[in-house]
Amino acid sequence: MRALGPRAPLATIDATSNDASSTATPPVNPELVRAPEVPGAKKLGSNVFEILVFRGLSTPLALLLVVLQGRFLEPSGRGRFVLAVLTVTIFSRLLSQLGVAVANHMSQREWDTEPELRPLAQRALGIAFGLGLLGSAAIIGIGALTPSVGAGTAAIAATALAPNVIWQTASGILLGLSRIRAWNYVQLASPLLTVLGTLALVVALGGQVHAALAAWTIAHVLTAMLALYFTRDLWLPLRMPSLVDGVSQQLMRLALAMGALQVIALIGYRAELFVLEAIDGVGAVGIYSIANQAAESMWLMAAAIATAITAPVVRESEADAVALVKRSLVKSLLYTAGAGAIVAITAPFVIRYALGSAFNGSRTPLLLLLPGAIAYAPVQILVVYLSVRRGRPRLSLAAGLTAMVVTIAASVPLIKAYGPSGAAGASAIGYGCGALVAWLLFRRLAADRLRT
């Protein structure tokens, strides 16, 4: 196994020509090699469309799950579910970037062959499983210290962490290889299986919060099995390398740095939930979470574009990668703004008739959230450049930290004064500030690199 090192561009010779001094067209030399094709570069438009189709299925499923929980769990039950899942999600975001770390090293051609990629994938999956088990124990302890959740509820949710981290890791590797179809199947599996489990355990059998969490956990276990099946050629035959050697440590450092960004971003647009629960109670969390979920569903287009451009941005030249990111930023902002207009017009009616009068209080928070959610959508594309291509997750982390600090600072006075609407206002302000910082960092880093 070669030691990980800084990327060094390799010279390529096109098979259609010899040297530049040739005056006549020479015969094709079979020993000369073509420049390697960038995975996904020629299918960018079709990949975006395919991702949107699958996300077009998964997003309604996620919203259907919200409706089912709102109808059968009531605001307090929905609030307990959200808090339990949020704790697991925080740990998952921290640990699930191992696959993206592997994708980052795929930009080094010497790590892009199957014999070299397999040990990296095996390391990433092994570390994911081990850290997932450790994180599960921590989640149970946190749940025991949270009166509105409890150790028993946290234990059910914590069981989903290791499977979640495994399928997220496998997804990152699939994305780096531009295996978009398999990636889409994995992404769709989790919400689809959760909805089916909820229909069986909550709607049909009359279960409550524990049943809803069990459905969610089982969905993650089955999704992990599917992800391992799709990546079987990358980790089989199983010869587990050391998980503590230099290669593993470097993968883990990069993954945890990018994971910290994910956690900070998550806390940044979830911090107001904890403040809201402390001030107004778990029922207010249930009401506000509806607005939060609806606003974030608008990130569908930006997420699809960010996913489709990951492999090309990692492997293209600097100028081409920057140009692709800029085009994608404009598209994501326009598409998200259009979705926001539709949500603003239809959401009050949908909330009233789909969830009932108990959730009427979520309409105003949703309208307040929309401007910030639109502004923050392109950050997903900026992260592809900052963290995945350039390997500078700390820059992306700065944007997430800004959003988190601003949200927390604004949430206390605004929630005290306006309740869930104040939480929405604080979150929108945090979104806007985080997006501004990410854009400024991208401009500076891209300009410096293009000048060199």
Side-chain angles (χ1 to χ4, degrees), residues 20-75:
S21 62
S22 299
T23 58
T25 303
V28 174
N29 187 341
E31 295 182 357
L32 298 179
V33 296
R34 291 186 180 274
E37 181 178 331
V38 176
K42 293 184 177 180
K43 301 192 300 180
L44 187 60
S46 61
N47 284 342
V48 171
F49 177 77
E50 183 174 328
I51 293 167
L52 285 175
V53 170
F54 277 86
R55 288 294 183 96
L57 296 173
S58 63
T59 300
L61 288 171
L63 296 177
L64 174 60
L65 183 63
V66 172
V67 172
L68 292 175
Q69 291 174 350
R71 286 290 188 181
F72 291 90
L73 299 183
E74 302 299 329

Side-chain angles (χ1 to χ4, degrees), residues 111-321:
W111 288 93
D112 204 9
T113 62
E114 185 174 303
E116 298 287 3
L117 182 56
R118 181 174 291 111
L120 286 178
Q122 291 171 342
R123 281 179 168 88
L125 291 170
I127 295 170
F129 179 73
L131 294 181
L133 293 180
L134 293 175
S136 297
I139 290 170
I140 295 173
I142 294 172
L145 299 175
T146 307
S148 58
V149 177
T153 301
I156 299 173
T159 307
L161 179 62
N164 181 289
V165 176
I166 287 173
W167 75 253
Q168 294 275 13
T169 299
S171 292
I173 298 172
L174 290 171
L175 197 57
L177 294 171
S178 198
R179 297 185 184 179
I180 299 299
R181 181 68 53 82
W183 184 89
N184 279 324
Y185 286 144
V186 173
Q187 301 302 308
L188 179 62
S190 177
L192 176 60
L193 293 171
T194 301
V195 168
L196 293 177
T198 301
L199 288 172
L201 299 179
V202 177
V203 177
L205 298 179
Q208 292 299 305
V209 176
H210 285 182
L213 286 171
W216 183 74
T217 297
I218 293 170
H220 282 295
V221 172
L222 296 177
T223 302
M225 295 172 63
L226 179 65
L228 290 174
Y229 172 78
F230 281 132
T231 55
R232 64 192 183 280
D233 61 313
L234 300 175
W235 58 271
L236 290 176
L238 184 60
R239 297 185 180 92
M240 184 57 65
S242 173
L243 301 183
V244 294
D245 62 4
V247 176
S248 296
Q249 290 176 22
Q250 188 161 350
L251 278 177
M252 194 180 306
R253 283 195 298 269
L254 181 58
L256 291 178
M258 290 188 289
L261 162 67
Q262 296 287 328
V263 170
I264 294 300
L266 178 66
I267 294 176
Y269 54 79
R270 290 290 191 279
E272 72 276 16
L273 289 175
F274 296 106
V275 179
L276 185 61
E277 193 266 343
I279 295 176
D280 284 357
V282 71
V285 173
I287 291 174
Y288 173 71
S289 68
I290 301 299
N292 191 276
Q293 183 102 23
E296 291 177 9
S297 69
M298 299 189 314
W299 293 343
L300 168 65
M301 286 295 301
I305 295 172
T307 300
I309 69 172
T310 296
V313 166
V314 166
R315 301 171 190 239
E316 291 279 15
S317 67
E318 184 68 20
D320 289 341

Side-chain angles (χ1 to χ4, degrees), residues 433-446:
C433 292
L436 178 61
V437 169
W439 166 248
L440 293 176
L441 290 172
F442 163 72
R443 286 193 61 186
R444 187 186 70 180
L445 190 62

